[in-house]
Amino acid sequence: MKKSIAVLLVCLLLTSLVGCGDDITLDKRENDLVAEYIAGVMLKYSYDNEWKYTKVSNALNKYQSNGTIPPSTVIGAGSSQENSTAVSSKPSGNQSSSVNVYAALSDALGLNGADISFKSYTVGTRYPMDEYAVCFSAKDGYRIVTLEFNIKNNSGSDMVMNTASKGVTMKLDIGGKSVVQSASMLYNDIISLNKVKLAAGDSYTAVACFQVPEANASSTDITCTVYNGGQSLGTISNIK
């Protein structure tokens, strides 16, 4: 029923636009607003069939996060349904030079009492790779490089994590290429957590995804710079 209502609403919107003849002319900004609204309506009712999630999110992944990274460094997001086995790697363990970065990241995300640490990274055509999971897909010629972070609640009391409005983003330097963190709609995206509950003493895996050209994605020369409101909080190194 919901799906039928959504489809009917979209049809009415389209009819109202094309049925006006030459009386109304939409500029580019107005066209974009209409397209965004239609995508939002469709997404609202897409959760009844989660496997379709990637089809909707692919259209929205082109939007980058709000960090003020120079546009010349941005690698655009896109879509592809190609599948492969992701390569997983554990960190070297020598993260002492990055301890302050994690503390600054925790503060910037408003996660008081939580400790953040690097967990691992994966490379594949999508993330996660589970067959029926809601996922973020790579476009042709690209791979999704995903950094996984462990968030542990050491506050002594339960917390609710909301990070979407904190202005945090990341930039990955991999194999000589700089890539801004892609906007994803994953429920555990570290910069867009929404009402995620974390009990005292428990840990949670949050992620940051990047669209990386295939030629660079296999490189082990990786660092990640964390930004808050356009200002660098520091660089996470030794990602291997």
Side-chain angles (χ1 to χ4, degrees):
M1 181 63 180
K2 290 181 178 179
K3 182 177 179 181
S4 298
I5 294 174
V7 172
L8 178 59
L9 179 56
V10 172
C11 291
L12 288 174
L13 286 171
L14 293 176
T15 301
S16 65
L17 291 179
V18 301
C20 295
D22 296 328
D23 294 336
I24 297 176
T25 300
L26 300 182
D27 59 27
K28 183 178 184 301
R29 184 184 70 84
E30 291 169 333
N31 275 321
D32 289 343
L33 288 174
V34 171
E36 184 176 353
Y37 179 78
I38 293 173
V41 172
M42 295 179 68
L43 179 61
K44 181 178 180 180
Y45 298 102
S46 68
Y47 290 101
D48 291 336
N49 297 283
E50 286 189 351
W51 70 270
K52 295 180 181 178
Y53 183 92
T54 55
K55 295 183 180 180
V56 178
S57 65
N58 286 337
L60 301 178
N61 283 335
K62 63 181 179 181
Y63 295 102
Q64 296 295 327
S65 54
N66 293 326
T68 55
I69 311 300
S72 61
T73 66
V74 175
I75 303 297
S79 64
S80 172
Q81 295 303 313
E82 178 189 8
N83 297 324
S84 67
T85 302
V87 179
S88 179
S89 175
K90 293 295 182 180
S92 64
N94 181 19
Q95 300 291 322
S96 58
S97 63
S98 301
V99 171
N100 290 335
V101 179
Y102 296 126
L105 175 59
S106 181
D107 290 341
L109 292 174
L111 302 179
N112 299 323
D115 290 334
I116 299 178
S117 59
F118 177 72
K119 184 177 181 180
S120 64
Y121 78 92
T122 65
V123 180
T125 56
R126 63 179 183 171
Y127 183 89
M129 292 298 297
D130 301 333
E131 185 175 1
Y132 297 107
V134 172
C135 65
F136 181 59
S137 299
K139 65 180 181 180
D140 291 339
Y142 285 71
R143 290 292 181 267
I144 300 299
V145 175
T146 302
L147 304 187
E148 297 181 335
F149 296 91
N150 185 68
I151 302 176
K152 185 173 183 179
N153 182 1
N154 290 322
S155 67
S157 59
D158 296 351
M159 66 170 56
V160 178
M161 298 185 290
N162 291 288
T163 65
S165 62
K166 304 302 183 181
V168 174
T169 190
M170 302 181 187
K171 184 186 72 173
L172 193 70
D173 289 292
I174 178 168
K177 180 70 70 174
S178 293
V179 185
V180 172
Q181 181 179 359
S182 297
S184 83
M185 299 182 70
L186 298 175
Y187 69 91
N188 62 334
D189 189 320
I190 192 168
I191 65 170
S192 59
L193 299 177
N194 182 29
K195 298 180 181 179
V196 176
K197 296 180 180 180
L198 184 59
D202 284 356
S203 295
Y204 183 84
T205 299
V207 302
C209 296
F210 303 83
Q211 287 270 9
V212 179
E214 189 173 356
N216 303 91
S218 59
S219 175
T220 57
D221 179 17
I222 308 174
T223 60
C224 179
T225 304
V226 181
Y227 295 86
N228 184 25
Q231 300 297 316
S232 173
L233 300 180
T235 299
I236 299 171
S237 56
N238 300 313
I239 300 174
K240 298 179 179 178

